Amino acid sequence: MSPFFLALLLVAGLLPFTASQSFQCGSGNFSFNPLANGKECPCSVDTFLEFVESGCPVPASPKQDNETVFLGGVLDLIEFDWSMDIFQVTVDLYNQGFFLDNDGSSINKRILTYSLDNSKCDETEAIRAYWRLRTKNGNVPPDGIVGERCSGPTQELANLLGVEGIPQLSPSATSGRLSDDVRYPEFSRVVAPQNEHGEALAMRALLRSFGWSEIAILTTDKSYSQDWDTNLRKVWTGIHHDDTGSWTGVVSHSDTFRMTPDGLDIDLHSINQVFENFPSQSVRAVVLLAHNADALRILEMAAQLKFQQDTIWIGSDLNEIRTWRISSNPPPAWIGLTPYRNQNANAVAFKDRLDDFHMSKGLQPWPRLPMYAAETVDSIVLLAHAVDLTRDQSAGGNVAATVTATLRGIIYENGVSGRIEFEANGDRKDPLYSIISMGSDGEWIEVGVASTTLATADLNMNMICWGVFGCSLKEAPADTYPEPRTRLPPWAVAILLVICLALLALAFKYWRSTQSKKRLKSELGRLQKSIVGMRAAKVTYIPNSVLEDSCRRHNIESRASSRVSSLILSASPSSSGIEDARVQWCWEETREYYITHSPSEFFGDPNDCWIMYDDYCNQLLETAFKQHDGKGTISLDPMDYIVDLEAMTQTNKSTGFVRKVLRWQEPAKKATSLLSGTETESSNGSACVNFPVELLGEPQMVLIEGDLVQVSKLRDDRWAFGTKLFHADEEIVREFVKVASASSDTEIGNESDICADTGWFPHDWATRLPTGDDLGGLQKNVSDTGELEAPSHWDPIKNPLVAQRHSLDAKSPEYQRVRSAFLSTLKSKKTKIHGIERIQNMAMWQSYVVKRQTICYREAELDRPQALQRFEKCWLWHGTNREVYEKIIQQGFNRSFCGKNATVWGKGVYFARDAEYSSREAYSSPDNRGIKYVMACRVMVGEYCVGKRDAITPDLRCSRTHSLFDSTVDRLMNPSIYVTYHDAQAYPEYIIRFKFLE
């Protein structure tokens, strides 16, 4: 049962019920009678707020005894096995008046009681634990909840408590998502969030304390590490101006360690691969973002493999003091952040009383408070104090007072974890972090404190050990390696040797370049002739449904990055049939440095020394120029320049150096209208091409200049359906499609109206025949043009752009092979096969082969047979009907006409391991003769992950390359469902027509 649904049952269980009537909701073990206002409350709603809005409000809770405060602790009592002792000692001391307010008076006014329950760091168990606490208290909710430990269960619990109006204070949940005060109105925490406003800023301060500006980042593929990576990059990369001066933060390398399928350990092959891919002697400072046990495992392997032994490792959330047990002498340089270890009088006094408690039980006192123990103490004290204050306010007539509002207004100077103040959303304000370092004896030692408000940390450099560099250095080692020195032999020998080598190198380079060009030209020529219907995008094309819908366009631009916004601006606002005049922005280089640039950057007469801006800056400048009528200024970030659009100058913000700027514009050209075939020009200088009405509801493809597309269908009106073979900029297109889909109106069917890889586009206006230069990127992925030819068992191809169907002879080996595979997974159903047809679609086959080779050759460690065996499935099954399979045969798979029967594992095209699944009525509906249809498909599943409901893309596979998984599945071990998101990933080889006899 899902955590949301279970929580719903618990909320519903709070409604009045009688013993004589009961109601079983879902598959849970909860029976109750959800009657409110004379009607039955639904149990199929998705959120707690919907439950309340449907007419089933949670009733007001019975009042607690005014002289007693009752708190519930929902914690992971296995991982936080110390929490029972902490709760008992803290509550006893609270009732004894041990904790003092800021004015020195005792903080307690009422007796504090409590009860604990085990959440096991699990979403479902956290909800059950709260329910058990409430039940033990006579079905009266606690005055507040301390917990949960883990962020995932905390979000589920906070959702429920938000509906009930129960305040929640967590000592350890750090997810940035919990900062959403609208979604979690009753949630607060005494630990800082792990986002760009919290721990990431402290990490930046630590790194800047060493004078570093360039780092590498290594992570695991857990969501904790990926979130850490995202937030650290937000505060690190780019140009900064702070107390340390002006500096540019750079992440020069990043990579990801893959976890094993059970998520319990790191894949050893992945560790080897990450270390092998690390650039040798480029960057020395490596930030390792991983849970503590995973980080130690990685450093153990680094020591065994003798990986770059002078690496300085920077980590986070180091859980405890422990002895270093790695056979490395000296121990690696390992420095990191941990929640602040307070050493003031309040913390010492509490530790003394805790030691007395343990000795009274015959137990050995703890060496120090465990991680988050001090925050747990403060959570108990502050939540009880807030309840006290709120009851006093309510008694004084302030009926609107709430415990959460009171809590967030408290400033507590005497916390065991230090001074505590809250932000308006319940996050801890201005948190501190202890900095710890691995000493020469393998023990952790505290070396300083970092905050989120200062540019550098307060460090004791003499206490830090730097591994092979030793301890007590005055300055930290450099973040990168120095340039190697050039040692020169005697001058006469050196001159002769250099001249000879230079001449030989130039001659060899020229010969190799000539041969390489000849070979590349030959390969590109073969590739150009091999792929049928291939076109190159000559302009940026975005469907009119996006550009002309001002509301939708505004929604996209408000969600999108600056790159996606510039993509929208670069597209013609009316799908112009006339090419825009080319505009080029340039800057003036000094004459002595002009020749150091590539000739491809030169513009105009070389004597004028003009250098062209890159495409991104060129678009930014032109967009600003048009929006502001050639006036004002624009900052070229992350470069340190400001361009004055009126004075046409560029100024370096750091040095004040000024250069001239040039804007060159080519006159606009007329073009032929796609609709009439005549030269037309509208009042705004563009011709409009409208999407055919009969195609509304089918997908349109986004194009960027340089994309390569294979056409599978071309209409008389010159609208074409095609599949993307090569992306000129895949990342920006996928971001645009994702943002556009999220902002579309799903009620009118626009959810899939634009695609990154497949769809309709204006053939003549948007594309042209490709040249050899266009094919360079595609050629890297297609090394064997022989595979692009039709399979040897096919019948002769009549028209490569038209699909052919060939009925198989029932006695042929090919028929028997398909029949046997189909029947083997039908669970012994009596089936009559009415025919099997082979599908021959040359364009679709070539699209599939290109995608197959792209995935196979991406994995350098696998040879081709290994890659095919691992990544290609022959066959998977796809159920369909008569109307849809005709479209699939001609145009391939697409969500717009493959149906939306399931989105549990993502919004893609679904394939089943077993034909029994695909032959169900929901997927293979019979025609008027009772005939059902199932396709046998080759599917390039590639690397896959577990899918997520309604996701339009798989998860991120590698943060370094921003590449995604290729497909999603229902489970990682022996999947039965595969979902693809690129239409070229699957080729329908056969269509099987059959009936179930029973």
Side-chain angles (χ1 to χ4, degrees):
M1 180 184 298
S2 71
F4 274 102
F5 190 71
L6 177 61
L8 176 61
L9 296 180
L10 299 181
V11 176
L14 303 181
L15 299 172
F17 66 92
T18 63
S20 60
Q21 292 180 309
S22 66
F23 180 75
Q24 186 72 29
C25 189
S27 59
N29 296 321
F30 301 89
S31 296
F32 50 88
N33 181 23
L35 297 176
N37 302 322
K39 64 178 182 179
E40 187 176 275
C41 295
C43 65
S44 60
V45 293
D46 295 325
T47 67
F48 307 125
L49 292 180
E50 185 179 0
F51 184 86
V52 175
E53 293 169 357
S54 66
C56 300
V58 178
S61 302
K63 293 183 178 179
Q64 296 275 11
D65 175 7
N66 190 52
E67 298 305 314
T68 302
V69 175
F70 174 65
L71 298 183
V74 177
L75 294 165
D76 179 2
L77 301 182
I78 298 175
E79 186 70 20
F80 277 17
D81 56 359
W82 44 261
S83 54
M84 291 177 284
D85 290 358
I86 290 294
F87 253 89
Q88 183 174 343
V89 172
T90 302
V91 171
D92 288 343
L93 292 177
Y94 183 91
N95 291 329
Q96 295 169 20
F98 174 83
F99 298 100
L100 303 180
D101 207 344
N102 298 337
D103 59 5
S105 63
S106 177
I107 204 168
N108 71 308
K109 298 181 181 180
R110 293 170 176 80
I111 299 299
L112 175 60
T113 62
Y114 74 96
S115 181
L116 300 181
D117 211 304
N118 189 10
S119 68
K120 302 179 183 178
C121 198
D122 178 82
E123 287 90 342
T124 301
E125 287 299 324
I127 301 297
R128 287 176 174 166
Y130 168 74
W131 180 248
R132 289 191 292 265
L133 288 177
R134 182 180 174 121
T135 303
K136 285 189 289 188
N137 196 39
N139 203 32
V140 177
D143 291 300
I145 291 292
V146 174
E148 216 281 308
R149 173 176 80 88
C150 302
S151 294
T154 298
Q155 293 175 62
E156 302 288 357
L157 184 60
N159 205 356
L160 171 59
L161 296 179
V163 175
E164 286 224 83
I166 305 298
Q168 177 185 4
L169 189 56
S170 173
S172 58
T174 59
S175 171
R177 296 182 180 90
L178 286 163
S179 298
D180 188 345
D181 190 40
V182 175
R183 186 172 178 83
Y184 310 112
E186 300 295 335
F187 177 81
S188 306
R189 51 184 163 190
V190 295
V191 66
Q194 176 206 332
N195 59 20
E196 69 269 27
H197 306 297
E199 196 169 0
L201 285 176
M203 177 64 79
R204 186 179 78 178
L206 171 60
L207 298 171
R208 287 301 296 161
S209 299
F210 303 139
W212 295 343
S213 59
E214 183 173 349
I215 60 173
I217 297 179
L218 300 181
T219 69
T220 64
D221 58 7
K222 290 183 177 179
S223 58
Y224 162 85
S225 301
Q226 298 301 309
D227 288 347
W228 234 119
D229 182 19
T230 299
N231 293 315
L232 179 58
R233 288 175 185 270
K234 287 181 181 178
V235 302
W236 180 259
T237 56
I239 300 173
H240 304 275
H241 307 280
D242 54 30
D243 295 340
T244 66
S246 296
W247 59 281
T248 301
V250 175
V251 178
S252 60
H253 179 75
S254 62
D255 210 340
T256 302
F257 299 96
R258 294 195 305 271
M259 304 298 294
T260 55
D262 59 10
L264 300 179
D265 203 354
I266 301 177
D267 182 81
L268 295 181
H269 174 71
S270 174
I271 295 178
N272 280 301
Q273 190 174 41
V274 169
F275 286 150
E276 288 176 2
N277 293 338
F278 198 93
S280 176
Q281 291 195 337
S282 60
V283 60
R284 184 183 285 127
V286 178
V287 178
L288 178 58
L289 302 175
H291 285 302
N292 190 57
D294 298 333
L296 293 179
R297 179 65 169 149
I298 291 168
L299 265 70
E300 287 173 354
M301 288 296 296
Q304 293 176 20
L305 298 172
K306 300 187 182 301
F307 166 75
Q308 196 168 286
Q309 297 180 36
D310 59 349
T311 296
I312 303 169
W313 299 92
I314 309 296
S316 67
D317 289 349
L318 304 176
N319 289 343
E320 58 194 68
I321 288 186
R322 63 171 66 196
T323 302
W324 194 260
R325 294 187 177 89
I326 291 181
S327 56
S328 172
N329 187 24
W334 185 217
I335 305 166
L337 294 175
T338 192
Y340 182 55
R341 295 173 173 177
N342 188 23
Q343 301 294 332
N344 67 11
N346 301 315
V348 173
F350 178 82
K351 181 62 169 57
D352 289 341
R353 300 299 290 270
L354 181 64
D355 291 347
D356 293 342
F357 169 79
H358 283 140
M359 288 188 290
S360 71
K361 300 289 186 181
L363 302 173
Q364 186 71 22
W366 296 340
R368 67 183 314 131
L369 290 179
M371 184 176 176
Y372 297 124
E375 287 81 359
T376 303
V377 174
D378 291 337
S379 296
I380 299 168
V381 172
L382 286 179
L383 192 53
H385 183 44
V387 173
D388 271 336
L389 294 176
T390 305
R391 289 189 184 174
D392 292 342
Q393 294 169 6
S394 299
N398 184 7
V399 295
T402 67
V403 176
T404 298
T406 303
L407 173 68
R408 293 178 181 178
I410 293 175
I411 299 177
Y412 188 45
E413 302 287 350
N414 298 324
V416 175
S417 66
R419 182 182 185 275
I420 300 174
E421 184 178 357
F422 295 95
E423 302 281 3
N425 65 352
D427 287 342
R428 185 166 184 167
K429 187 176 183 179
D430 299 336
L432 297 177
Y433 295 86
S434 292
I435 302 171
I436 58 178
S437 171
M438 182 61 63
S440 58
D441 57 356
E443 292 281 347
W444 294 112
I445 54 175
E446 295 184 33
V447 298
V449 177
S451 76
T452 60
T453 57
L454 298 178
T456 57
D458 183 9
L459 283 173
N460 188 340
M461 291 287 291
N462 290 327
M463 299 178 66
I464 299 178
C465 286
W466 302 94
V468 297
F469 296 102
C471 305
S472 304
L473 303 183
K474 294 182 179 180
E475 294 181 352
D479 49 356
T480 57
Y481 291 87
E483 291 291 331
R485 295 178 181 177
T486 302
R487 299 183 62 184
L488 297 176
W491 66 272
V493 177
I495 292 177
L496 291 175
L497 182 61
V498 168
I499 292 175
C500 292
L501 290 176
L503 291 174
L504 287 173
L506 287 173
F508 177 73
K509 184 177 181 181
Y510 176 77
W511 176 82
R512 188 173 62 177
S513 175
T514 302
Q515 296 300 312
S516 177
K517 288 179 180 179
K518 289 180 180 179
R519 184 172 62 255
L520 179 59
K521 186 175 181 180
S522 175
E523 291 175 355
L524 293 178
R526 289 197 302 271
L527 182 61
Q528 189 173 16
K529 295 176 182 178
S530 299
I531 300 180
V532 299
M534 184 164 52
R535 303 282 293 181
K538 61 182 179 181
V539 293
T540 296
Y541 169 68
I542 295 176
N544 287 2
S545 59
V546 174
L547 296 176
E548 295 180 351
D549 185 338
S550 58
C551 180
R552 186 177 185 190
R553 181 168 175 174
H554 172 75
N555 288 336
I556 294 174
E557 291 176 334
S558 64
R559 290 178 170 89
S561 66
S562 59
R563 291 190 68 211
V564 170
S565 296
S566 68
L567 174 67
I568 297 173
L569 290 171
S570 70
S572 170
S574 59
S575 293
S576 170
I578 294 175
E579 296 188 25
D580 290 339
R582 178 188 167 205
V583 173
Q584 181 62 57
W585 287 77
C586 311
W587 55 278
E588 186 182 38
E589 177 61 284
T590 50
R591 189 168 301 278
E592 59 269 27
Y593 291 109
Y594 181 72
I595 59 174
T596 65
H597 293 270
S598 169
S600 62
E601 300 177 74
F602 298 165
F603 184 85
D605 189 335
N607 293 322
D608 296 332
C609 298
W610 291 113
I611 300 295
M612 293 186 291
Y613 285 98
D614 61 34
D615 292 341
Y616 178 61
C617 290
N618 195 70
Q619 184 62 51
L620 287 179
L621 289 166
E622 183 60 18
T623 301
F625 184 84
K626 290 180 178 179
Q627 288 180 340
H628 303 292
D629 296 326
K631 299 179 180 179
T633 61
I634 178 174
S635 178
L636 296 182
D637 294 324
M639 296 183 296
D640 202 19
Y641 301 130
I642 293 179
V643 175
D644 188 317
L645 300 173
E646 189 170 9
M648 298 301 281
T649 57
Q650 170 188 283
T651 303
N652 188 311
K653 290 187 284 188
S654 299
T655 65
F657 190 79
V658 179
R659 299 178 184 271
K660 292 181 180 179
V661 169
L662 170 71
R663 177 181 181 270
W664 175 86
Q665 181 174 7
E666 182 183 45
K669 301 176 182 178
K670 290 186 177 181
T672 302
S673 167
L674 300 187
L675 298 181
S676 64
T678 60
E679 289 190 352
T680 58
E681 187 169 357
S682 63
S683 58
N684 65 355
S686 66
C688 183
V689 179
N690 295 317
F691 191 56
V693 175
E694 62 272 19
L695 295 180
L696 290 177
E698 295 200 20
Q700 296 184 65
M701 181 163 49
V702 176
L703 296 174
I704 287 185
E705 185 177 356
D707 286 347
L708 292 178
V709 181
Q710 186 174 36
V711 176
S712 58
K713 186 174 183 179
L714 181 61
R715 289 163 45 103
D716 292 338
D717 59 5
R718 311 305 289 171
W719 279 88
F721 190 93
T723 300
K724 194 85 64 77
L725 296 176
F726 174 76
H727 283 272
D729 192 335
E730 183 173 9
E731 185 179 350
I732 189 174
V733 171
R734 293 209 180 281
E735 182 188 353
F736 172 78
V737 171
K738 181 177 181 180
V739 175
S741 297
S743 66
S744 64
D745 185 352
T746 56
E747 294 183 1
I748 62 173
N750 284 340
E751 188 177 7
S752 323
D753 63 343
I754 58 172
C755 293
D757 304 304
T758 308
W760 294 94
F761 61 92
H763 182 274
D764 295 346
W765 176 79
T767 64
R768 54 171 169 74
L769 290 173
T771 65
D773 293 337
D774 295 323
L775 300 177
L778 179 62
Q779 191 270 340
K780 296 176 183 177
N781 298 329
V782 184
S783 60
D784 184 3
T785 56
E787 288 195 24
L788 296 171
E789 299 176 359
S792 58
H793 65 281
W794 279 16
D795 291 348
I797 300 297
K798 298 176 182 178
N799 185 340
L801 293 181
V802 177
Q804 300 171 214
R805 303 203 318 245
H806 292 269
S807 296
L808 301 184
D809 185 343
K811 297 180 181 179
S812 68
E814 185 178 5
Y815 180 98
Q816 294 299 323
R817 188 171 66 253
V818 180
R819 177 183 180 276
S820 176
F822 177 66
L823 295 178
S824 64
T825 59
L826 280 180
K827 295 187 176 180
S828 302
K829 289 186 177 180
K830 294 182 179 180
T831 306
K832 179 179 181 180
I833 295 180
H834 287 260
I836 299 176
E837 293 178 306
R838 183 197 314 125
I839 300 168
Q840 298 185 180
N841 186 322
M842 192 62 189
M844 192 193 311
W845 171 254
Q846 290 184 336
S847 295
Y848 175 75
V849 168
V850 171
K851 189 65 177 177
R852 183 171 67 183
Q853 292 200 30
T854 300
I855 293 176
C856 284
Y857 292 120
R858 181 185 68 201
E859 307 298 330
E861 75 278 6
L862 298 177
D863 58 30
R864 178 165 177 74
Q866 288 178 317
L868 280 177
Q869 183 178 8
R870 176 177 172 183
F871 296 134
E872 186 178 43
K873 299 294 180 183
C874 303
W875 296 288
L876 297 179
W877 310 95
H878 183 84
T880 183
N881 57 53
R882 179 61 181 269
E883 178 185 356
V884 169
Y885 94 72
E886 295 286 356
K887 287 189 175 182
I888 294 176
I889 289 173
Q890 182 61 46
Q891 298 175 206
F893 293 99
N894 189 277
R895 284 166 285 174
S896 64
F897 51 77
C898 285
K900 298 181 181 178
N901 294 311
T903 59
V904 175
W905 311 114
K907 289 187 175 181
V909 180
Y910 280 62
F911 299 90
R913 177 194 62 199
D914 303 325
E916 186 276 332
Y917 186 93
S918 298
S919 63
R920 296 175 185 175
E921 292 290 313
Y923 312 114
S924 175
S925 56
D927 60 18
N928 53 12
R929 297 179 299 156
I931 302 294
K932 297 167 69 69
Y933 302 86
V934 166
M935 287 181 159
C937 307
R938 285 182 180 268
V939 183
M940 200 64 186
V941 298
E943 296 279 10
Y944 51 75
C945 63
V946 175
K948 298 177 182 177
R949 181 179 292 277
D950 294 335
I952 64 173
T953 61
D955 288 341
L956 186 69
R957 182 170 65 92
C958 178
S959 60
R960 176 172 56 85
T961 60
H962 302 286
S963 58
L964 306 177
F965 283 94
D966 301 300
S967 56
T968 58
V969 294
D970 56 342
R971 57 179 179 268
L972 289 179
M973 299 301 291
N974 193 22
S976 63
I977 301 296
Y978 295 84
V979 186
T980 63
Y981 299 81
H982 191 299
D983 297 341
Q985 280 180 256
Y987 180 81
E989 277 202 283
Y990 300 96
I991 180 73
I992 304 164
R993 296 180 284 109
F994 65 98
K995 278 185 180 180
F996 289 138
L997 297 182
E998 61 267 31

